[in-house]
Every structure is written in C-alpha cells, then in structure tokens.
Amino acid sequence: TLPPTHYPAPPRTNNKSESLEHVFENCEKDAKAAKRMGIMKIEEFERVKARMAQQHLEKETQIQNLQAEEQRLLYNNAAITIQRAQRGHLGRKRAKRIRDKSHTMIKKTKAVTLLQTRLRGILARRRAAERRDWEIRQLVYAKSLNDIQRAWRGWMGRRRATAMRRWRACLTLQRVGRGYNGRKVARDVRRGLEYVRMVNEMAVRIQCAWKVKVAVEEFRVRRVHCIAATELQRVYRGRRGRLRAAKVRLWENTPPGPERLELGLEMIQDSKDRFEAQRDEIDALHRAQEKAENRISAISKELKQSETELKSIEVELQEMDQMEGEIRQLMTEKDELGRETMTGETDTPIASTHPDAVLLDEQERQKHQNHQLQLDRLIQLKKAERQKKKQQVEADFTLVFSEVEQKRDSLHKLELAIADMEATRDRKDREFGRLRRDLMELLHDQKFELDRLREKGVELELATA
C-alpha cells in the first residue's frame, strides 16, 4: 500500500467577500447539488445546507483548537481514508477491465473455434471428394495403369541390369588394366632400382679411388709444405741468431766510452722503431677484427631475416597441402558422382502407386552431368592455382636458399679470417713482448755503462785533485 499523505498545515479558508457573479455561480452549484441529493424543496435544501455549513464550521473550529500533534494525526487519518477509497475505486475499475477483457477473449476464442471447425469441415469434405474421385479413376483406369507401370518397370529393370553388366565389365577391365600397369610399373621400378644400385656401386668405387688419390696428393703437398716450412724456419732463425750474435759481438768489441754510448742509443732507437711498427700492426689487426665482427653481426641479422622468410614459405607450403586435400576431396566427390550416374542410384523409390511419382530421367542425368562438369572446372582451377603457387614458392625458396648459402659461406670465410687474425695477433704479441724485453735489456746495459763512466769521471777528478 502507498504511504499516507502528510499535510504540514490545515488548508486555508477563503474569507474574502464574494461578488455578485460569484453568488449566482454558487447558487447554480447549490441547485445542482440539491438536485443530485434528491432535495426538491428550497426550505429543506437551505436547512440541509445550513446544517452542513454549521458542521463544517464546527469541524474547522475543532481543527483550529486542536494541537499540532492531534492535527497531524487527524490529517493522517483523513489521508488514509481518502487513499483507501481511491484505491478501492481503482481496484474495482481494474477488476472490471480484466473481467471485460476475459469475456472478450472467451467470445473471440469461441468465434475462432467455430470458424476453424467450419473451415476444417470444408477442407475435409473437399479432400474426401478428391479421394473419392481419385479412387474412381483408379477403378476405371486400373488395368491401363497396371500395364503402363509393368512396362515402365520392366524397361527400367532391363536398363538397370544392362548398366550393372556394363559396370561389372568396366570393373573387370579396370582391374585387368590396373594389374597390367602395376606389373609394368613394378618391373620398371625394379629395373630402375637395379640401375641405381649399380650406379651407386660404381660411384662408390670411383669416389674411393678419387679420395685415395686426393688424400695421397694432399699428404704429399703437406709433406712438402712441412719440409719447406721447416727449412724456412731454420734459415730465418739462423739469420736472426747471426744478427743477434753480430750485435752482441759489436757491443762487446766496442770500447767503453762515448762510442759504446752512441752504439747503445742507435740500438735503442732501432728497437723503438720496431716497437712502434709492431704496435701499429697490432692496432691494424684490432681494427680489421672489429670490422669482421661487425660484418658477422650484420650477416647474423640477415640470416634471421632469411629464417623469417623461410617460415613464411613454410606457411605457404601448409596452404598448398590444404589445397591438395581440397583437390583430393573434389576428386573423391567426382568419382562418387560418376558411380551414382553409372548405377542409376536415386533417392526416389521405383515402386510407387501414386501417379505423380517419378524416377531418374534425362533431366536428373543432365543435372548430374552439369554438376560433374562444374567439379571438373573447379578441380582444374584448383590445380592451376596450386601449380602457380608451387612455382612461386619454389622460386622464393631457391632465392632464399641461395642467399642463405652465400651468407653462410661469407660467415665461414669471416670466421677463418678472424681465426687467422687471432693467430697473427698472438704472434705479434709475442714479438712485441720480445722487443720490449730487448729494449729493457738495452736500457739496463746503457744505464750500467753510464754508471761506470760516472764512476770513472769521479775517480779522474779525485786523481786530478
């Protein structure tokens, strides 16, 4: 239920003086109210009106004399009474509307049921009449229909038997032809395998002989290179030993003094020049190695890109496999359709007593042939698309594979070059260390000679003093 309506204050009364027009209007309203109440005499109406006015005045006086809480309770009770009366009125109106709606629905249902009964009766009588007419025609034309059906079924049976005999003959021919072709292919395959085995055996013998020849020649070349390298090392080391011995003899044969100092400075300058040359060569090797490493990094990135291209080619190959499966499915559907056309299989039953029932005719066969031609065209299109995509994928794969092989060869060459640079740098590092040791020895000898000359000068000064 709705909550009661609360009035904060009592309604105001209109105590203003009324005009003449208002008085006439009030009189008309009073006359209408008296007529509605069934009061015919003016005296009685005036008495009732005065009594009602007195009651209203007393009620207003009581309301004004009441306190605020009592007025609030009074107004709440009045609002609840008004709301109850209004909700009762609305509920009765809603119930009446629902009753009217249900009565209307019942009348409509009865009318629709009656219409359906009449219509179904008409349709049933019409079907019964058609059935009677059809049975009469069957009784009249029974013999002719039976003869026509017997002749038609006999012709269809002979046709089906002929198709089955042809189908069996075709199966026999196919079996014999496939057996002959299979034996022929097996014979050719055996001959090919025998030829391949013989060629492989001969190739193995040729490879063995050639590998023996190459190994012997490589051994001889390595032996000659080893002997030549040993001889070159012996000559080079002998020359370096003789140069070192000549320097030592020159140092020992030079008398102490300014000449030995001058010789030491020349040797120090020579060692310094060789030291600078070795350092420049090592720096050049470092720069070359950095360039080679940068080139290796670039080739590695290119190889990663080639791997991405190979993955895309692999996806295209999977699409080609899917297309191959679709072509096989279409070929299977085509074969099944051909077998159904040969055997004359249809979904319509042959034995039927209804005159409108039909079997496989020229239109159905034409439909099968059109479907078969559509399948042939679709298969040809699929094969052409597969061939085109296959050629494109093979070209892309050949290009990418050649690029990958070139990059691998370049990477292998760079790795060999880096290994050679590493060996050369190690050798230069060893020579650099040897030059540094020689320079330190020369500096030590020069220092020792200077100290000895200083001591001799001190001794000469003392002797002179």
Side-chain angles (χ1 to χ4, degrees), residues 45-244:
F45 176 73
E46 290 296 334
R47 284 197 299 274
V48 172
K49 184 177 178 181
R51 188 171 61 254
M52 290 176 66
Q54 185 67 26
Q55 291 177 358
H56 181 70
L57 182 61
E58 291 177 358
K59 188 176 180 180
E60 290 291 333
T61 305
Q62 290 177 1
I63 289 172
Q64 290 178 2
N65 293 329
L66 291 176
Q67 294 182 2
E69 185 66 25
E70 293 176 350
Q71 287 181 3
R72 187 178 63 79
L73 291 175
L74 179 62
Y75 287 138
N76 285 342
N77 294 330
I80 289 170
T81 303
I82 293 169
Q83 289 175 358
R84 183 172 65 250
Q86 180 65 19
R87 289 169 186 165
H89 175 66
L90 294 177
R92 286 188 293 275
K93 284 177 68 177
R94 192 182 298 111
K96 183 179 179 182
R97 187 168 58 252
I98 292 171
R99 277 197 308 275
D100 295 340
K101 187 176 180 180
S102 62
H103 292 163
T104 305
M105 184 60 67
I106 290 169
K107 290 180 181 179
K108 288 181 179 180
T109 305
K110 290 180 179 180
V112 169
T113 304
L114 182 60
L115 287 174
Q116 288 177 351
T117 304
R118 299 291 177 81
L119 183 59
R120 287 168 183 169
I122 293 170
L123 294 176
R125 287 190 292 273
R126 187 179 298 173
R127 283 197 299 270
E130 291 177 357
R131 183 67 180 176
R132 280 195 305 272
D133 294 340
W134 183 78
E135 288 179 355
I136 290 170
R137 287 195 301 271
Q138 287 291 326
L139 292 173
V140 173
Y141 301 109
K143 188 175 183 303
S144 300
L145 291 174
N146 290 331
D147 293 339
I148 293 169
Q149 289 177 356
R150 184 175 64 254
W152 173 258
R153 290 169 185 168
W155 181 75
M156 286 298 296
R158 289 188 295 274
R159 184 179 175 184
R160 183 178 298 174
T162 304
M164 289 299 293
R165 285 196 299 272
R166 289 178 181 176
W167 176 252
R168 292 195 185 96
C170 290
L171 289 178
T172 305
L173 289 174
Q174 289 176 358
R175 178 174 57 79
V176 174
R178 288 169 182 169
Y180 173 74
N181 292 330
R183 289 189 293 274
K184 186 177 179 181
V185 170
R187 184 170 61 252
D188 294 339
V189 169
R190 282 196 296 270
R191 289 178 181 175
L193 291 175
E194 184 66 23
Y195 176 74
V196 170
R197 187 184 63 78
M198 183 178 64
V199 170
N200 289 335
E201 186 177 355
M202 294 164 101
V204 168
R205 291 180 182 177
I206 293 171
Q207 288 176 359
C208 290
W210 176 256
K211 288 178 181 177
V212 169
K213 179 179 178 298
V214 171
V216 171
E217 290 181 356
E218 186 177 357
F219 174 74
R220 289 176 181 174
V221 171
R222 286 186 179 180
R223 181 64 178 167
V224 171
H225 288 176
C226 183
I227 294 172
T230 304
E231 187 66 20
L232 287 173
Q233 289 175 0
R234 183 181 64 78
V235 173
Y236 179 72
R237 289 169 183 167
R239 177 175 174 75
R240 290 195 51 186
R242 287 190 293 274
L243 290 174
R244 192 181 294 110

Side-chain angles (χ1 to χ4, degrees), residues 178-405:
R178 288 169 182 169
Y180 173 74
N181 292 330
R183 289 189 293 274
K184 186 177 179 181
V185 170
R187 184 170 61 252
D188 294 339
V189 169
R190 282 196 296 270
R191 289 178 181 175
L193 291 175
E194 184 66 23
Y195 176 74
V196 170
R197 187 184 63 78
M198 183 178 64
V199 170
N200 289 335
E201 186 177 355
M202 294 164 101
V204 168
R205 291 180 182 177
I206 293 171
Q207 288 176 359
C208 290
W210 176 256
K211 288 178 181 177
V212 169
K213 179 179 178 298
V214 171
V216 171
E217 290 181 356
E218 186 177 357
F219 174 74
R220 289 176 181 174
V221 171
R222 286 186 179 180
R223 181 64 178 167
V224 171
H225 288 176
C226 183
I227 294 172
T230 304
E231 187 66 20
L232 287 173
Q233 289 175 0
R234 183 181 64 78
V235 173
Y236 179 72
R237 289 169 183 167
R239 177 175 174 75
R240 290 195 51 186
R242 287 190 293 274
L243 290 174
R244 192 181 294 110
K247 289 180 181 180
V248 171
R249 284 197 301 271
L250 180 62
W251 176 264
E252 290 178 352
N253 294 329
T254 302
E259 295 179 357
R260 180 172 285 187
L261 288 175
E262 185 178 356
L263 179 62
L265 290 174
E266 291 178 358
M267 294 174 68
I268 288 171
Q269 186 64 33
D270 188 15
S271 298
K272 183 178 179 182
D273 294 338
R274 286 186 293 168
F275 184 80
E276 292 293 333
Q278 289 289 338
R279 187 168 62 183
D280 293 338
E281 290 179 359
I282 290 172
D283 292 338
L285 286 173
H286 278 295
R287 289 193 295 272
Q289 187 174 1
E290 288 178 357
K291 289 181 180 179
E293 289 177 354
N294 293 330
R295 180 60 181 164
I296 288 173
S297 300
I299 291 174
S300 299
K301 292 180 181 178
E302 292 176 358
L303 285 174
K304 289 181 180 179
Q305 293 178 358
S306 300
E307 289 179 357
T308 305
E309 293 178 358
L310 287 174
K311 288 181 180 179
S312 64
I313 291 173
E314 185 177 357
V315 172
E316 292 180 357
L317 289 174
Q318 291 178 359
E319 292 179 356
M320 287 179 60
D321 294 338
Q322 186 177 0
M323 193 178 297
E324 185 71 24
E326 292 177 357
I327 291 173
R328 286 198 298 270
Q329 186 176 359
L330 290 174
M331 291 291 288
T332 305
E333 186 176 354
K334 178 185 173 183
D335 295 338
E336 290 179 355
L337 186 61
R339 285 196 295 270
E340 289 179 2
T341 305
M342 289 294 295
T343 54
E345 294 179 358
T346 57
D347 294 335
T348 305
I350 294 175
S352 177
T353 59
H354 200 275
D356 297 333
V358 292
L359 302 173
L360 185 64
D361 53 358
E362 289 295 332
Q363 187 177 2
E364 190 70 21
R365 284 197 298 275
Q366 188 67 26
K367 183 178 178 181
H368 280 77
Q369 290 177 2
N370 293 332
H371 191 194
Q372 194 169 4
L373 289 175
Q374 290 178 2
L375 287 176
D376 290 336
R377 285 196 293 270
L378 185 60
I379 288 169
Q380 293 296 329
L381 290 174
K382 289 285 185 181
K383 285 184 178 179
E385 186 179 358
R386 182 192 63 182
Q387 187 67 22
K388 183 178 179 181
K389 184 170 282 189
K390 183 178 180 181
Q391 292 176 359
Q392 184 179 1
V393 169
E394 286 179 354
D396 295 341
F397 182 76
T398 304
L399 180 61
V400 174
F401 188 73
S402 61
E403 290 179 357
V404 170
E405 289 296 329

